[in-house]
Amino acid sequence: MKTVSTAFKAAQKAPAAVSVRRVSYKRRYWVQATNSYTWEASWTLLPENEVVSVSPITGKLDTDRLNEFKISNVNLVLKNERRQWKAGKRGGYFGATDTYPYGFEPYWTKFKIESGYELDGVATYTPMFVGVAVDFKTESSSDT
């Protein structure tokens, strides 16, 4: 179960507190030596100006585990004016690099969505959702 501190609760009530969010991702790539896929070791922060919208994150109480909630789906809309989310695109998020010559696999890219507050220039976050992308849809009319 996720808990928050008394300071977190007090900061949310403070008039100077500003709500913030953070979206990060880990890409999946092929490892030739083991003939398997693996994820990057660390999260990559997605610039806030790339995030168009995040659907409401709602949870249902897990009937099998005490004090846990399950989140089923979240829709994340991201800018794509340079087609940077296209699989294999050179210079895109999934293209090959010197370190990753086979590029990255979009399917099952991990996304983490965090919410929090900023008070006196210091941001504090709580993870709200961590899951994998199972479907990518492109809207050319809106570049998302």
Side-chain angles (χ1 to χ4, degrees):
M1 183 167 108
K2 302 281 184 216
T3 58
V4 295
S5 67
T6 306
F8 185 93
K9 292 176 187 176
Q12 285 188 317
K13 292 179 183 178
V18 176
S19 294
V20 291
R21 75 167 174 218
R22 180 165 68 181
V23 178
S24 307
Y25 64 91
K26 282 186 181 183
R27 298 169 294 184
R28 206 167 62 112
Y29 62 94
W30 181 255
V31 180
Q32 188 66 37
T34 61
N35 285 328
S36 63
Y37 283 99
T38 190
W39 280 280
E40 294 175 289
S42 59
W43 292 97
T44 302
L45 182 62
L46 191 61
E48 183 62 30
N49 64 356
E50 292 274 327
V51 179
V52 175
S53 68
V54 178
S55 69
I57 300 173
T58 57
K60 293 182 180 178
L61 191 60
D62 188 348
T63 56
D64 298 326
R65 292 188 160 165
L66 184 63
N67 295 329
E68 287 194 22
F69 286 86
K70 287 189 175 181
I71 310 295
S72 59
N73 290 316
V74 173
N75 289 320
L76 183 59
V77 179
L78 306 170
K79 286 186 180 177
N80 194 32
E81 68 275 358
R82 299 179 324 275
R83 307 300 179 250
Q84 64 267 32
W85 290 101
K86 183 178 179 187
K89 182 179 186 297
R90 198 168 204 31
Y93 289 118
F94 301 117
T97 66
D98 290 340
T99 308
Y100 303 100
Y102 299 105
F104 298 92
E105 176 67 36
Y107 186 71
W108 277 20
T109 295
K110 288 184 182 181
F111 283 93
K112 177 169 62 171
I113 301 169
E114 299 171 288
S115 181
Y117 67 91
E118 184 175 317
L119 186 61
D120 298 330
V122 178
T124 303
Y125 295 94
T126 300
M128 301 301 289
F129 175 83
V130 177
V132 295
V134 294
D135 193 14
F136 285 85
K137 294 180 184 173
T138 304
E139 293 288 334
S140 61
S141 60
S142 62
D143 287 330
T144 60

